[in-house]
Amino acid sequence: MNFIRLIIFSLLITSELFSSQNLEKVTLQLNWKYQFEFAGFIAAKEKGFYKDLGLDVQINEFVGDINVIDEVKNDRATFGLYDTSYLNLYDEKKPIVLVANYFKKSALVFVTKQDIIVPEDLKGKKVMYLKNELKDSLLGELLKKHKIKQSDFISVDHDFTGEKFINGEVDAFSAFVSNELYHVKKSQIPYRIIDPENYGIIGGGLNLFTSYSNAKKNPLMVQKFLEATNKGWNYAFDNKEEISDIIIEKYSKIKSKDALLFEAKETEKLMMTAIYKVGEIIENVVNQDILRSHSNIPLDKLLFNKIFTYSNIDFSEKEKEYIKKKKEIKVCIDPNWMPYEMFNEEGKHIGMTADFLKLISEKTNLEINVIPTKTWSDSLNLAKQRKCDILSLAQETPSRLKYLKFTSSYINFPVVIATSTEKFFLPNPEDIIEKEKVGIVKGYSMGEYLKNKYPNNKIVDVNNIKQGLEKVRSGELYGFVDSLPTIAYVLQHEFIDTLKITGKFDRKFDLGIAVRNDDELLYEIIQKAIESIPHSTMQEIFNRYISVKVESSDNFKYLFEILGIFLIIIIIAYFRNRQLKKYNNILSKTQKKLETSLESFEILLDSVNEGVFVFDENGKCLQSNKIAAELFGFENKDQVIGQHIKDFVSPKSYDLVAKNIKTDQEDAYEIIVQKKDGEEFHVLAKGKDAILDSKRVRISSVIDLTELKQKDKLLSQQSKMAAMGEMIENIAHQWRQPLSLVSSIATGIIVKKELGVTDFDDEKKDLEKINNTAQHLSQTIEDFRNFFKTDKEKKEFSVLKSIEKNLMLIEGILKSNNIQMIFEQKDDCKIKSYENEFTQALLNIFYNSKDALKDKTQEEKLIFVNVKSDKENIIVTVLDNGGGIKNSIIEKIFDPYFTTKHQAQGTGIGLYMTHQIIEKHMGGKIIVENEKFEYNNIKYKGAKFSIYLPLK
């Protein structure tokens, strides 16, 4: 057999309006080059989402010194994209309106060398950034907050790739985490990120805006553009590789596919799609942006969704006057044509058109009253007699144009034929019109079309669909012709076991509202009302109405090949109760999975290396993780809950903790805490205020520093290495962002759980992010190479004698390598500082010179030491004749982990610690340079380290 009989099933019918052939031209001005940052707009264009809604969109790349705001204000572009600084450029004479916000956090950060930890460290450094970038951006706000002027650092023009940073030409640069950071990561050089968000400066990015005049003139077009764009973003995130290929093939080849895919992942993170809807505007964030810009713009004058509603229709003065005078609009419907329309047992108008007419009434302020009729023929006759002003749903035919004028189609579905279940599939149902008796409701446009096309037809007029299908079941008719949703509705309710759909006509029911043709103003008003209904609203109405059972052949795809129409499998009526039970079971399983996910989240939280507490406003512990309980000597988390914060914090540190809670301090800091039995120990603490269940809470995390303190003592005895205070600061900055991420995702899961909008797949992704973050946090401590120090006090010591002690320590090493140490100048000066640390700093320099000289074949291997003083400083110089340091790396030698040796021979931490000791702990300065000199009539070149220590 060349066909197969499908088992009985049902399909939910939804529909889209055909795109207008006269597309409305729209221009979008980007604020940068074509890349994945704009993938949602590109996807909407390339996949036809804009076109489906009647829009012809041109996407313009950013070029030259173009001003995006001016392009939109002066109507050279319909829409524009900009960061939060658009508020600083707001013009009351030519206002703009915010349509959507896509980046929920700013992508703009500082990428820095590892010795630049906080914003203050940028002073005196070479910083690369765009012209005017630090004026209005969040980076500018960050510098203002820390009282840093652009004159405090050396400005370098941006290269847009980060190559100058990678090559060591600059110390820091402004970057998009989704863009330039790709090149930095690929280079594998160490770096840090200074993110304004970690300093309380929060803002979004990628803001879509249009001019007020454009939004007022065409709010429907703006809404269509927004709908299609958001659909484009969802498609782009689901199909990252496809959209990346499209960008390369059609838009720009500047970025590699690998770079675009990196950008795609980072862009999705910036949009925070697990928590927020694509394009959603968060009013609290916008308010913060307004306050920061000092623009004082009320939200109801800035946000599109507050200024314009979809019911705002630009009626002419004549139309407005007509609406005021017109008392009512009389409408006739098909009394038995579900799911489109019908009168129920109480005589009430129900179905799709009832919903649409209600919308039209609201939009036009016209009272619409339905006139009862018994058949469609009765409704047509009343329309001819002008007793009906409109027909709610009708298709244009030559005969009807004599007394009606038709609006644009707002409902269109395919025409199908229903037969008894033993009939075969019909590839072309029109083939049987002159061979078999086929029923059609009297007065339907399809009947008029078929009768005109096939003069020898065997069409039988019936009063309604039920009568027609009954005649098919009894064998009186071969089949019955009507729209797919209508036949589906009746088959499901009354003929599910005896009839089926056997074929689809090429023709569709393109249905609009028919208005009496002697009332042009009424026609214009109804037409504008239909055009103002958003596509999403139409789709919601369609989705409320129903299903069908069909048979197909091997080529059954022809049955469903519909432009703008798709069919979704749903439950058949026969198994409705069973399916309902099935879905309840699925819901129950989903609930259990969610509970399991939350348990998994708790397990993951318990697996991180810090204790986590949640305190209420009064300092009472509401929740904690397992680590926190164990850390403070409790048997389980239940014993922790209900304790006061004072029970955990030592009296020595409580005032500091109370102050930080009061000021919502988010930076990490070291405190002393106490266990249940009173034993004290040191922790690194960090807190963040949050809102849970409409109540203010404090989420705090602590890291046990006991083991670090023990290692600190051991390392101090062995190598006198760097300061613990610096280590705590480094850890704090490394942990800030991951802790913020864990807190954000955890809060998002809780909120969605409480709102009942949970999704297992989304939660699974969130939990994976938390797990990855936990692994990152665990790795952080190891990355610092156990960089600790012991407690110390400043004391007065002789710099010269300290150096001489150093030389005694390394005398044997120098002799074994035939290295001669030469003192050229010996000023005996005393300072009050950290002698042990100074000793370690000098040892690292001497070791560096020794390593440079030991493999040299020259006769004399020399290290020159000078100690001298001026009015302000003691100056210690160390110069060797080892050939100097390569110019390509000389600026990197104080970077942590930078070494020219094999990993087994060096860690790259020595000179970094020397730099930290001299500049951070002793308040001095250290510089390195290559110097050419002559000794005993022989010319040499070597590395010269100069240390400046303040006398006071």
Side-chain angles (χ1 to χ4, degrees):
M1 297 177 68
N2 63 350
F3 66 91
I4 57 173
R5 180 73 56 87
L6 293 178
I7 63 171
I8 299 175
F9 67 92
S10 296
L11 299 167
L12 179 67
I13 306 160
T14 58
S15 154
E16 295 182 60
L17 293 177
F18 284 113
S19 299
S20 170
Q21 293 181 353
N22 298 319
L23 300 178
E24 185 173 1
K25 292 189 180 298
V26 172
T27 303
L28 169 66
Q29 178 60 59
L30 305 182
N31 59 337
W32 196 237
K33 305 297 183 181
Y34 294 129
Q35 54 187 22
F36 206 95
E37 180 184 353
F38 311 114
F41 305 97
I42 292 172
K45 178 178 175 66
E46 296 299 326
K47 305 309 294 185
F49 302 151
Y50 288 134
K51 188 175 181 181
D52 290 343
L53 295 183
L55 302 178
D56 179 12
V57 177
Q58 177 179 325
I59 303 175
N60 291 338
E61 187 178 38
F62 182 87
V63 291
D65 294 327
I66 194 170
N67 187 310
V68 179
I69 303 289
D70 285 346
E71 290 295 297
V72 175
K73 288 193 326 186
N74 297 314
D75 296 325
R76 291 189 292 270
T78 319
F79 295 96
L81 292 168
Y82 219 70
D83 58 22
T84 54
S85 60
Y86 73 94
L87 290 167
N88 299 88
L89 305 173
Y90 187 86
D91 183 356
E92 292 185 359
K93 295 180 180 179
K94 289 186 176 181
I96 57 176
V97 294
L98 181 63
V99 178
N101 164 250
Y102 291 102
F103 284 2
K104 295 302 179 287
K105 55 183 293 184
S106 175
L108 193 60
V109 299
F110 278 126
V111 177
T112 72
K113 290 183 178 180
Q114 287 209 327
D115 61 333
I116 299 176
I117 300 171
V118 294
E120 286 80 2
D121 294 339
L122 292 170
K123 292 182 177 180
K125 304 295 184 180
K126 293 180 180 179
V127 181
M128 180 170 66
Y129 57 92
L130 284 173
K131 179 182 178 182
N132 297 326
E133 186 174 40
L134 303 185
K135 183 179 180 182
D136 299 318
S137 69
L138 297 187
L139 291 183
E141 291 296 324
L142 176 68
L143 296 179
K144 289 179 184 177
K145 182 175 181 179
H146 290 265
K147 299 180 180 179
I148 302 172
K149 301 176 182 178
Q150 292 186 35
S151 58
D152 291 337
F153 47 78
I154 303 168
S155 301
V156 179
D157 291 339
H158 216 297
D159 62 6
F160 306 112
T161 63
E163 286 300 317
K164 291 182 180 178
F165 177 79
I166 295 169
N167 295 331
E169 298 175 40
V170 297
D171 303 299
F173 73 108
S174 64
F176 262 55
V177 294
S178 56
N179 195 13
E180 292 90 350
L181 198 57
Y182 167 78
H183 302 286
V184 177
K185 286 189 173 183
K186 193 174 181 180
S187 72
Q188 296 185 338
I189 68 167
Y191 69 92
R192 290 186 187 276
I193 288 179
I194 296 180
D195 189 343
E197 186 177 56
N198 293 334
Y199 295 86
I201 302 173
I202 300 172
L206 200 62
N207 295 292
L208 177 68
F209 67 94
T210 187
S211 65
Y212 181 91
S213 60
N214 179 57
K216 181 179 180 181
K217 180 180 179 181
N218 201 344
L220 179 60
M221 179 276 292
V222 176
Q223 174 62 21
K224 286 180 179 179
F225 184 84
L226 179 60
E227 286 184 37
T229 299
N230 292 348
K231 186 176 180 181
W233 273 116
N234 290 323
Y235 185 91
F237 288 141
D238 290 339
N239 302 274
K240 296 183 179 72
E241 292 208 10
E242 177 190 350
I243 299 303
S244 296
D245 288 336
I246 289 175
I247 292 172
I248 293 172
E249 291 170 10
K250 293 188 175 184
Y251 290 86
S252 174
K253 291 181 171 59
I254 294 177
K255 283 192 172 185
S256 66
K257 185 173 181 179
D258 187 53
L260 287 172
L261 290 175
F262 171 85
E263 184 186 10
K265 293 179 181 179
E266 294 302 317
T267 298
E268 192 168 15
K269 293 177 185 177
L270 291 169
M271 288 197 183
M272 302 177 72
T273 54
I275 301 175
Y276 301 106
K277 294 179 181 178
V278 172
E280 179 181 354
I281 296 175
I282 307 169
E283 293 185 11
N284 288 338
V285 175
V286 177
N287 272 324
Q288 289 183 36
D289 293 338
I290 291 173
L291 290 174
R292 190 160 49 240
S293 69
H294 306 292
S295 51
N296 298 320
I297 309 168
L299 286 182
D300 56 6
K301 290 187 177 181
L302 178 65
L303 304 187
F304 172 78
N305 60 1
K306 285 188 172 291
I307 304 171
F308 303 100
T309 62
Y310 309 139
S311 60
N312 286 351
I313 302 174
D314 189 17
F315 290 122
S316 68
E317 292 302 320
K318 288 184 178 180
E319 290 165 348
K320 291 177 182 178
E321 189 64 28
Y322 178 95
I323 291 171
K324 289 180 181 180
K325 292 182 179 180
K326 190 74 173 177
K327 293 182 179 180
E328 67 171 352
I329 301 296
K330 296 178 181 178
V331 60
C332 289
I333 70 167
D334 188 327
N336 192 3
W337 201 24
M338 283 297 283
Y340 298 134
E341 56 190 9
M342 70 173 289
F343 291 115
N344 64 11
E345 293 179 355
E346 290 78 32
K348 182 181 179 181
H349 175 205
I350 62 173
M352 292 183 188
T353 61
D355 293 349
F356 279 108
L357 290 179
K358 182 180 178 182
L359 280 176
I360 292 171
S361 177
E362 292 172 353
K363 291 172 178 292
T364 61
N365 290 322
L366 287 169
E367 182 180 349
I368 299 177
N369 294 320
V370 182
I371 298 177
T373 56
K374 293 183 178 181
T375 66
W376 175 241
S377 295
D378 292 343
S379 294
L380 286 175
N381 287 331
L382 290 179
K384 290 178 183 177
Q385 299 168 22
R386 308 296 190 189
K387 293 182 179 179
C388 288
D389 296 309
I390 62 175
L391 294 174
S392 58
L393 200 61
Q395 185 168 17
E396 180 180 314
T397 66
S399 64
R400 294 175 182 174
L401 286 174
K402 296 176 181 178
Y403 55 97
L404 296 169
K405 186 173 182 178
F406 295 82
T407 67
S408 57
S409 169
Y410 69 99
I411 293 179
N412 33 33
F413 287 105
V415 180
V416 297
I417 184 170
T419 68
S420 57
T421 55
E422 69 272 8
K423 297 294 191 299
F424 294 159
F425 175 74
L426 296 172
N428 184 9
E430 290 192 22
D431 292 343
I432 67 165
I433 298 301
E434 293 182 329
K435 300 176 183 178
E436 304 288 351
K437 290 183 178 180
V438 175
I440 299 179
V441 174
K442 185 179 180 180
Y444 275 13
S445 60
M446 190 64 180
E448 183 175 337
Y449 164 75
L450 291 174
K451 289 175 183 178
N452 290 334
K453 186 174 181 180
Y454 301 100
N456 299 322
N457 67 82
K458 294 186 178 182
I459 294 174
V460 177
D461 289 335
V462 297
N463 290 327
N464 54 60
I465 184 173
K466 290 183 181 179
Q467 184 185 69
L469 291 174
E470 189 60 54
K471 288 180 180 290
V472 174
R473 180 161 62 178
S474 67
E476 186 177 343
L477 295 176
Y478 178 90
F480 177 79
V481 176
D482 209 321
S483 74
L484 178 58
T486 306
I487 289 182
Y489 182 87
V490 180
L491 289 188
Q492 178 185 348
H493 288 81
E494 299 186 36
F495 301 92
I496 193 165
D497 295 322
T498 56
L499 303 181
K500 68 184 181 185
I501 291 176
T502 316
K504 181 186 80 71
F505 290 83
D506 290 335
R507 191 175 177 84
K508 290 189 177 79
F509 272 123
D510 290 326
L511 305 168
I513 291 179
V515 184
R516 54 191 298 171
N517 61 6
D518 61 348
D519 195 338
E520 184 64 26
L521 281 176
L522 178 59
Y523 170 80
E524 293 294 337
I525 291 169
I526 299 297
Q527 176 65 34
K528 288 181 179 180
I530 289 176
E531 290 177 350
S532 72
I533 300 175
H535 169 72
S536 58
T537 302
M538 291 183 173
Q539 197 64 56
E540 288 175 7
I541 294 174
F542 297 153
N543 288 345
R544 296 175 193 149
Y545 302 89
I546 325 196
S547 65
V548 65
K549 137 183 140 171
V550 297
E551 168 166 331
S552 171
S553 72
D554 291 337
N555 295 321
F556 91 104
K557 63 181 180 180
Y558 292 106
L559 181 61
F560 302 104
E561 188 177 321
I562 308 164
L563 176 64
I565 301 172
F566 56 93
L567 306 175
I568 305 171
I569 298 178
I570 62 167
I571 61 170
I572 60 174
Y574 183 77
F575 294 110
R576 181 180 295 170
N577 291 333
R578 181 184 297 179
Q579 288 292 83
L580 182 59
K581 182 179 179 181
K582 175 183 176 182
Y583 287 129
N584 283 335
N585 289 336
I586 292 174
L587 182 61
S588 177
K589 290 179 181 178
T590 302
Q591 180 72 16
K592 290 180 180 178
K593 288 180 180 178
L594 177 58
E595 292 173 356
T596 302
S597 298
L598 292 174
E599 291 174 2
S600 299
F601 171 71
E602 289 186 4
I603 292 172
L604 287 172
L605 204 57
D606 286 339
S607 70
V608 299
N609 293 335
E610 76 257 17
V612 179
F613 297 88
V614 180
F615 296 103
D616 65 13
E617 289 184 295
N618 299 317
K620 182 180 179 181
C621 182
L622 303 176
Q623 187 57 271
S624 78
N625 66 348
K626 183 179 178 181
I627 303 300
E630 294 176 352
L631 193 60
F632 286 82
F634 293 91
E635 295 179 3
N636 52 57
K637 293 186 289 185
D638 293 337
Q639 292 183 355
V640 177
I641 296 173
Q643 299 287 334
H644 194 274
I645 194 169
K646 286 185 176 180
D647 298 325
F648 303 108
V649 180
S650 167
K652 301 172 185 176
S653 296
Y654 185 74
D655 289 343
L656 174 62
V657 172
K659 176 184 176 183
N660 288 341
I661 292 176
K662 185 177 181 180
T663 59
D664 191 18
Q665 170 64 254
E666 296 182 14
D667 291 337
Y669 55 97
E670 184 179 355
I671 59 172
I672 301 173
V673 295
Q674 57 190 15
K675 294 185 179 181
K676 181 181 178 182
D677 60 6
E679 179 186 348
E680 293 186 343
F681 61 102
H682 291 255
V683 297
L684 187 67
K686 177 180 172 64
K688 171 72 176 177
D689 286 350
I691 302 297
L692 294 178
D693 294 333
S694 301
K695 296 179 180 179
R696 184 184 178 90
V697 299
R698 180 77 173 180
I699 301 174
S700 301
S701 59
V702 294
I703 303 171
D704 185 6
L705 298 180
T706 302
E707 184 179 351
L708 300 183
K709 292 285 185 179
Q710 292 172 350
K711 287 183 179 180
D712 175 44
K713 293 177 182 179
L714 178 62
L715 291 174
S716 176
Q717 294 170 359
Q718 293 177 343
S719 61
K720 308 298 182 184
M721 296 180 70
M724 183 61 178
E726 184 69 19
M727 178 59 192
I728 292 174
E729 184 177 358
N730 288 339
I731 294 175
H733 282 276
Q734 284 283 22
W735 282 59
R736 180 182 291 114
Q737 188 171 355
L739 285 174
S740 177
L741 177 62
V742 170
S743 176
S744 175
I745 294 176
T747 303
I749 291 176
I750 293 170
V751 171
K752 289 195 284 184
K753 172 72 174 174
E754 292 174 347
L755 295 177
V757 293
T758 55
D759 180 271
F760 176 72
D761 290 334
D762 288 343
E763 289 174 355
K764 183 178 178 182
K765 292 178 182 177
D766 287 341
L767 294 174
E768 288 175 353
K769 292 178 183 177
I770 291 175
N771 185 41
N772 292 337
T773 303
Q775 298 301 321
H776 170 73
L777 296 177
S778 178
Q779 185 62 33
T780 303
I781 295 178
E782 183 62 26
D783 289 341
F784 278 89
R785 312 284 300 190
N786 299 322
F787 174 37
F788 307 113
K789 74 168 195 61
T790 57
D791 292 335
K792 57 191 183 304
E793 293 181 358
K794 286 185 178 182
K795 64 178 182 179
E796 189 176 73
F797 67 93
S798 167
V799 173
L800 180 60
K801 289 181 180 179
S802 180
I803 294 174
E804 290 173 343
K805 290 179 184 178
N806 268 285
L807 297 180
M808 291 176 62
L809 291 173
I810 63 172
E811 182 179 6
I813 297 175
L814 296 179
K815 285 183 178 180
S816 65
N817 287 281
N818 296 317
I819 299 173
Q820 182 181 357
M821 182 74 71
I822 301 171
F823 259 111
E824 292 186 315
Q825 185 172 345
K826 296 183 178 181
D827 289 354
D828 191 5
C829 305
K830 293 184 179 181
I831 61 172
K832 187 174 183 180
S833 192
Y834 307 112
E835 182 177 8
N836 289 341
E837 299 236 350
F838 177 63
T839 298
Q840 181 61 38
L842 276 178
L843 280 175
N844 287 331
I845 295 175
F846 289 149
Y847 284 144
N848 187 78
S849 295
K850 180 264 295 181
D851 290 338
L853 290 167
K854 68 178 183 178
D855 295 326
K856 298 291 182 181
T857 58
Q858 61 203 43
E859 290 185 6
E860 288 190 300
K861 302 177 183 180
L862 309 171
I863 298 177
F864 300 89
V865 180
N866 285 277
V867 182
K868 58 184 179 180
S869 62
D870 56 23
K871 293 181 180 180
E872 297 180 352
N873 299 293
I874 296 176
I875 304 166
V876 180
T877 62
V878 179
L879 171 66
D880 62 56
N881 66 340
I885 303 169
K886 292 180 180 179
N887 291 331
S888 61
I889 64 172
I890 194 168
E891 292 186 358
K892 299 180 181 180
I893 65 168
F894 292 130
D895 290 353
Y897 315 120
F898 180 80
T899 179
T900 58
K901 309 171 189 175
H902 187 274
Q903 188 174 5
Q905 297 175 307
T907 63
I909 201 73
L911 290 178
Y912 170 65
M913 289 191 299
T914 294
H915 184 273
Q916 296 295 295
I917 290 170
I918 298 301
E919 297 202 354
K920 299 292 185 180
H921 302 162
M922 302 184 72
K925 182 180 180 181
I926 181 170
I927 60 176
V928 61
E929 57 190 336
N930 290 321
E931 183 172 300
K932 294 179 180 179
F933 63 95
E934 186 175 315
Y935 182 75
N936 290 339
N937 297 320
I938 300 175
K939 293 182 178 180
Y940 296 106
K941 180 181 178 181
K944 179 180 179 181
F945 289 83
S946 300
I947 299 174
Y948 297 82
L949 299 175
L951 287 170
K952 296 181 180 180

